[in-house]
Amino acid sequence: MCQLVSPEGDHLGAALYLPQNVGPPQLQEIVNHLLHNEDKLPYAFYIGDEELSVQLGTYMQQKNANVEVTLRIVYQPQALFRIRPVNRCSATIAGHTEAVLAVSFSPDGKCLASGSGDTSVRFWDLDTQTPLFTCKGHKNWVLCIAWSPDGKHLVSGSKSGELILWGPKTGKQLGSPLMGHRKWITAVSWEPAHLQAPCRRFVSASKDGDARIWDTTTRKCVISLTGHTNSVTCVKWGGDGLIYTGSEDCLIKVWETSQGKLVKTLQGHGHWVNSLALSTEYVLRTGPYDHTGKTYSTPEEMKEAALARYKKMRGNAPERLVSGSDDFTMFLWEPTISKQPKARMTGHQKLVNHVYFSPDGQWLASASFDKSVKLWNGITGKFVAAFRGHVADVYQISWSADSRLLLSGSKDSTLKVWDIRTHKLKQDLPGHADEVYAVDWSPDGEKVASGGKDRVLKLWMN
């Protein structure tokens, strides 16, 4: 007797009697039929936290399971396309004269930008794997960079607190630096493309304790979000139009963006909040662009495409937020529904440095200074697996677009690719001469970029 259940816990029809020789292929047929899917979609099936890979009869025998009890089988939609794991370094590009602190692919995956301790931002040509533009304008280390979801702008923030807008097509600085922050910029996040196209506004977080919303057209700070009593370490602009800030004052604050009013404060962490991630982050980052490579001629088209992608990804569930902290724990929140966390996630032995939802929102990964990467259920917050292999602090993680592979970069000078299904190391990528600070997997799945203390940018392909 089996009950099919959605990842959110909703029953799909009534419980069914199924023969023992039914396995994942037959279950796939049943789910597609019950959901009235015109195009057959791929699904993976989970009993408890284990993926079902055999026939039901075999499973029952292996587990010595009671036939009288109804078996709960969770079906999880899988991406239609498959990303292959990267396995070789295709280019090592010199150019930066100090450590590479940030790397980021454009929303369509066709361009790459990096920020460095040498005060420059660089754009790279991915076809020829050579430097395209070197952008000078900052007076201090470039700590963070962020592409607008329509791909038209890149903003960079520095250790001196100024923000500079760049045109990726020309490499030119657009207007003078945006001044206002008194200390260094810790993070930048753009307003999602489905809320505003062309993309105009972004929010910056700073060590001075404030977050500021800027308008790129008027080149002014339009709203200051003040209320944190310590450095703001991270900021995310959510798909519902709310801004989330995490701070060294242990709090997460939620703001509305028309007047900058504080909506609510999320409490729970006992130490600094280091990292925030949204379940919708991948579609927010990529806006209208998906793996098909479709291009758009007008901002309205982009906005519509971005909205359709956002709605499809979110479904009926609320946008989820996860926070990682110096207190070794993480919290899963549904901020629009409650001030109380949905789950508290424990297990890391040292501070949690980076958290990131998979593109489909089903998984959640965390990187820690305890040398491990952990995998959690992105809906319930339940622990799934620990990935061990790094021999030093893990700094940054990034997902493949199909949510099947996870990439991590570490102080131990390696990148590693992990397989989400088998919970095993898929690929070990040595090659950097020193600590790897920044990694990113291109939205089109073709390439990985990494940068770090050895000043070179590496591109990895399959």
Side-chain angles (χ1 to χ4, degrees), residues 150 191-200 288 298-304 306:
D150 59 7
E191 181 170 21
H194 68 264
L195 297 176
Q196 167 95 51
C199 298
R200 276 181 61 164
T298 67
E300 290 73 41
E301 271 183 26
M302 277 193 176
K303 189 174 172 181
E304 259 172 54

Side-chain angles (χ1 to χ4, degrees), residues 14-36:
L16 306 162
Y17 274 109
L18 295 175
Q20 302 216 354
N21 63 357
V22 164
Q26 292 79 16
L27 286 170
Q28 202 142 283
E29 290 285 319
I30 296 169
V31 170
N32 273 302
H33 178 70
L34 290 173
L35 288 173
H36 309 296

Side-chain angles (χ1 to χ4, degrees), residues 74-261:
V74 177
Y75 62 93
Q76 295 228 4
Q78 305 289 293
L80 291 165
F81 57 98
R82 251 186 198 286
I83 303 286
R84 293 191 307 234
V86 291
N87 54 24
R88 64 188 174 86
C89 179
S90 67
T92 299
I93 326 175
H96 282 299
T97 55
E98 288 294 333
V100 178
L101 303 176
V103 295
S104 181
F105 284 97
S106 58
D108 62 4
K110 293 197 175 18
C111 190
L112 175 69
S114 59
S116 160
D118 65 11
T119 75
S120 77
V121 169
R122 283 172 177 255
F123 290 97
W124 309 85
D125 184 327
L126 292 172
D127 295 327
T128 59
Q129 305 192 346
T130 53
L132 193 59
F133 305 117
T134 301
C135 308
K136 301 231 177 269
H138 284 293
K139 300 180 198 50
N140 211 321
W141 300 357
V142 179
L143 299 174
C144 54
I145 55 178
W147 290 85
S148 60
D150 59 7
K152 302 274 190 274
H153 297 98
L154 181 94
V155 68
S156 55
S158 85
K159 202 176 168 187
S160 351
E162 82 264 339
L163 294 143
I164 296 183
L165 270 174
W166 309 93
K169 291 263 186 290
T170 60
K172 295 269 186 290
Q173 183 174 327
L174 307 172
S176 48
L178 306 175
M179 311 294 280
H181 282 298
R182 302 180 304 285
K183 289 191 182 167
W184 72 59
I185 310 291
T186 52
V188 176
S189 183
W190 284 83
E191 181 170 21
H194 68 264
L195 297 176
Q196 167 95 51
C199 298
R200 276 181 61 164
R201 298 193 299 169
F202 67 86
V203 59
S204 58
S206 164
K207 210 167 159 53
D208 64 15
D210 294 346
R212 287 171 174 257
I213 300 177
W214 306 83
D215 186 319
T216 57
T217 321
T218 60
R219 317 203 49 73
K220 287 193 170 57
C221 168
V222 283
I223 300 172
S224 279
L225 309 174
T226 52
H228 283 294
T229 55
N230 212 328
S231 301
V232 182
T233 52
C234 42
V235 63
K236 296 288 174 198
W237 198 316
D240 300 334
L242 295 169
I243 286 176
Y244 307 93
T245 51
S247 162
E248 287 181 5
D249 64 11
C250 311
L251 302 175
I252 297 150
K253 290 187 182 285
V254 185
W255 315 82
E256 61 81 46
T257 55
S258 55
Q259 294 153 323
K261 284 205 184 81

